[in-house]
Amino acid sequence: NAGVTQTPKFRVLKTGQSMTLLCAQDMNHEYMYWYRQDPGMGLRLIHYSVGEGTTAKGEVPDGYNVSRLKKQNFLLGLESAAPSQTSVYFCASSYASGTGASQAGTQHFGDGTRLSIL
Amino acid sequence: GQNIDQPTEMTATEGAIVQINCTYQTSGFNGLFWYQQHAGEAPTFLSYNVLDGLEEKGRFSSFLSRSKGYSYLLLKELQMKDSASYLCAVSHHIFFNKFYFGSGTKLNVKP
């Protein structure tokens, strides 16, 4: 049981390049999230999804797009990378609210993707 | 808007008890969650509170006062492996599908 798997683990991009970060979960979770973590700023929500085919904006969505074509996968895209997007990106997943506060609120995180943009 | 405050860093001694505070001001509240994050690793779930009061889980306890917008995480019998960052997160929505995190408190446990 792998849990939440993020690909790639590290990447260096040049300004203006595009890339896609992949998140896959094998726990049959309905909810999935993308966060970025910068020094001194904690985790900030970029986009999230409450189910297959649905996405919504979080705190800091500008410059990013997402897609959830399959329940187990949540993709984060950078169309034109900027140095301000240098960060550690975490994907997380959780059960839906109908399963109770503990289950729905307990997010399972991937190991993160360390992205540097030059 | 959302405003979640935690102390930046704390130091405590092995075997002691430490309390990490979290205060919040949010436009919606439906639960407060605590996560532990070791350096270079992913956050892992520790505890949560939806109603006022104390929740105990082994060496870890979490307290919530919704009227005061205040929570704390209590760690007892500190061990060296407890050196980590502790993140406070508020669930903004009744369906627990949107969270706001504090900046985290880095706890240093010394021998």
Side-chain angles (χ1 to χ4, degrees):
Chain A
N1 191 342
V4 179
T5 303
Q6 291 184 233
T7 310
K9 296 189 186 307
F10 304 93
R11 186 73 182 267
V12 178
L13 289 178
K14 294 181 179 178
T15 297
Q17 286 185 317
S18 63
M19 80 160 295
T20 300
L21 280 63
L22 171 64
C23 177
Q25 53 95 4
D26 61 3
M27 296 173 283
N28 201 33
H29 286 165
E30 288 78 15
Y31 297 169
M32 296 188 75
Y33 315 81
W34 275 107
Y35 294 92
R36 60 178 289 174
Q37 188 172 37
D38 302 295
M41 299 192 73
L43 288 162
R44 291 185 291 169
L45 183 65
I46 304 172
H47 286 280
Y48 65 100
S49 168
V50 299
E52 181 179 319
T54 71
T55 63
K57 294 180 180 180
E59 277 183 276
V60 289
D62 294 341
Y64 305 95
N65 57 75
V66 288
S67 65
R68 189 147 178 223
L69 299 179
K70 294 182 179 180
K71 184 178 183 179
Q72 63 268 34
N73 296 336
F74 196 28
L75 307 180
L76 178 70
L78 286 73
E79 290 187 348
S80 180
S84 61
Q85 294 177 305
T86 293
S87 188
V88 179
Y89 291 85
F90 285 101
C91 175
S93 68
S94 68
Y95 286 109
S97 62
T99 56
S102 176
Q103 295 273 43
T106 302
Q107 296 176 75
H108 299 258
F109 285 83
D111 289 335
T113 295
R114 284 147 184 80
L115 182 61
S116 294
I117 299 162
L118 308 177
Chain B
Q2 324 301 324
N3 190 14
I4 302 171
D5 291 317
Q6 305 178 235
T8 302
E9 191 164 356
M10 300 179 70
T11 300
T13 305
E14 192 175 15
I17 299 172
V18 70
Q19 178 175 312
I20 302 174
N21 296 327
C22 172
T23 58
Y24 62 89
Q25 292 178 317
T26 63
S27 56
F29 175 85
N30 285 286
L32 190 140
F33 296 78
W34 285 95
Y35 287 81
Q36 180 190 59
Q37 185 178 25
H38 286 99
E41 298 183 7
T44 55
F45 170 76
L46 283 179
S47 182
Y48 83 101
N49 297 75
V50 177
L51 301 176
D52 291 352
L54 187 69
E55 294 287 340
E56 297 187 79
K57 290 180 68 174
R59 294 191 300 115
F60 297 84
S61 303
S62 58
F63 172 83
L64 175 67
S65 169
R66 288 174 295 171
S67 62
K68 296 182 179 179
Y70 168 69
S71 173
Y72 67 73
L73 179 70
L74 195 70
L75 291 76
K76 304 174 186 176
E77 302 171 10
L78 278 174
Q79 302 176 8
M80 298 300 292
K81 67 178 182 179
D82 296 331
S83 292
S85 289
Y86 291 86
L87 313 177
C88 162
V90 172
S91 171
H92 176 67
H93 193 278
I94 190 170
F95 294 123
F96 301 100
N97 55 15
K98 194 170 185 180
F99 292 85
Y100 293 92
F101 280 79
S103 298
T105 299
K106 183 180 180 183
L107 176 65
N108 303 303
V109 180
K110 60 180 184 179

